[in-house]
């Protein structure tokens, strides 16, 4: 069943930001669990990229960028 919240963009952007943050946290935790420097760098790079995407969702919510106005 579809709730009324499902029709509001903020509901979706908030959920995506939470999932992105969870993945970022997981990647950063795993940096300490691997020995290979290249994989550590890949995990950190991936977390940074997801952080940029999370910021884009936040900017959309707040209409911070001209593209979202």
């Amino acid at each position: 069943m579809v709730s009324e919240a499902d029709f509001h963009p903020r509901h979706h952007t908030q959920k995506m930001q939470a999932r992105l943050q969870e993945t970022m946290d997981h990647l950063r935790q795993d940096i300490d669990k691997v020995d290979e420097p290249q994989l550590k760098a890949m995990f950190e790079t991936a977390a940074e990229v997801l952080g940029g995407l999370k910021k884009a969702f936040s900017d959309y919510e707040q209409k911070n960028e001209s593209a979202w106005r």
Side-chain angles (χ1 to χ4, degrees):
M1 179 134 201
V2 177
S3 72
E4 188 171 324
D6 287 333
F7 294 102
H8 297 288
R10 186 163 161 54
H11 168 76
H12 297 286
T13 58
Q14 290 290 305
K15 285 176 65 174
M16 288 303 109
Q17 287 181 76
R19 288 188 179 158
L20 290 167
Q21 185 63 55
E22 288 172 12
T23 304
M24 290 166 56
D25 292 344
H26 189 125
L27 285 161
R28 289 195 168 118
Q29 290 168 1
D30 283 357
I31 289 172
D32 295 330
K33 296 177 183 176
V34 298
D35 292 328
E36 186 179 326
Q38 294 89 347
L39 186 55
K40 289 177 181 274
M42 175 64 77
F43 284 172
E44 181 58 34
T45 300
E48 290 293 319
V49 168
L50 293 177
L53 186 55
K54 182 181 170 199
K55 182 181 180 321
F57 276 100
S58 177
D59 289 344
Y60 170 82
E61 274 183 13
Q62 298 172 20
K63 307 296 187 222
N64 285 345
E65 301 290 333
S66 60
W68 307 133
R69 292 183 199 134

